[in-house]
C-alpha cells in the first residue's frame, strides 16, 4: 500500500506541476493580451488622428482646386477679351493706314 501511496503522490506532484505550468502560461498569455490591447488602442487613436488630418487636408485641397478652377476661368475670359482688344487694335491700325494712304494720294494735300 505504501508503494501505491508513493505512486499516487508522484501522480499528484506531476499534476500540481502541470497545473502550475498552465497557470504560468496563462499569466504570460494575459500579459501578451494586455500588451496587444494597449497596442490596438494606441493604433486606433493614431488612425482617428490621421483620419481627422486627412479630412482637413481633403477639405483644404478641395478649396484650393475650386479656387484654381475659378482663376482658370477668369484667366481664360481675360485672355479672350485681350485677344479681342488686340484684334480691334489691328483693325483700327489697318483702317488708319488706309486712310492715311488715301490722304497722301489726295490732290488737295499735295503741296506746290
Amino acid at each position: 500500500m505504501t508503494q501505491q501511496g508513493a505512486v499516487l503522490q508522484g501522480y499528484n506532484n506531476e499534476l500540481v506541476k502541470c497545473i502550475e505550468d498552465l497557470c504560468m502560461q496563462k499569466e504570460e498569455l494575459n500579459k501578451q493580451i494586455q500588451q496587444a490591447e494597449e497596442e490596438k488602442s494606441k493604433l486606433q487613436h493614431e488612425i482617428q488622428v490621421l483620419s481627422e488630418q486627412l479630412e482637413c487636408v481633403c477639405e483644404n485641397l478641395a478649396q484650393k482646386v475650386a479656387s484654381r478652377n475659378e482663376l482658370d476661368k477668369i484667366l481664360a475670359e481675360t485672355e479672350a477679351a485681350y485677344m479681342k482688344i488686340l484684334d480691334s487694335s489691328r483693325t483700327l491700325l489697318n483702317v488708319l493706314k488706309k486712310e492715311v494712304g488715301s490722304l497722301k494720294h489726295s490732290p488737295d494735300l499735295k503741296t506746290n
Side-chain angles (χ1 to χ4, degrees):
M1 188 83 168
T2 53
Q3 189 176 2
Q4 292 174 338
V7 169
L8 185 60
Q9 184 64 36
Y11 290 156
N12 186 46
N13 289 342
E14 282 186 55
L15 183 59
V16 169
K17 171 101 170 85
C18 286
I19 291 173
E20 287 175 351
D21 288 345
L22 288 174
C23 286
M24 287 185 352
Q25 288 178 6
K26 178 185 172 188
E27 284 301 313
E28 180 61 32
L29 193 55
N30 280 338
K31 288 178 187 177
Q32 292 174 2
I33 289 170
Q34 179 66 30
Q35 289 173 346
E37 287 175 346
E38 289 172 3
E39 181 69 14
K40 175 185 171 187
S41 177
K42 176 185 168 190
L43 291 172
Q44 286 175 330
H45 177 71
E46 289 176 11
I47 288 171
Q48 180 181 354
V49 168
L50 290 173
S51 293
E52 290 170 2
Q53 289 176 348
L54 178 61
E55 185 178 339
C56 288
V57 168
C58 287
E59 288 174 6
N60 191 336
L61 178 62
Q63 290 173 350
K64 288 181 180 187
V65 167
S67 293
R68 183 190 62 194
N69 291 343
E70 184 65 24
L71 286 175
D72 283 344
K73 178 182 170 188
I74 291 169
L75 185 59
E77 291 171 356
T78 302
E79 287 175 345
Y82 182 69
M83 293 306 292
K84 286 180 182 180
I85 290 170
L86 287 178
D87 190 47
S88 295
S89 295
R90 187 187 59 212
T91 301
L92 177 61
L93 181 61
N94 288 338
V95 169
L96 183 61
K97 285 180 179 180
K98 280 183 185 178
E99 291 295 321
V100 169
S102 67
L103 284 176
K104 287 182 181 179
H105 292 70
S106 172
D108 295 336
L109 289 178
K110 291 189 178 177
T111 58
N112 293 355

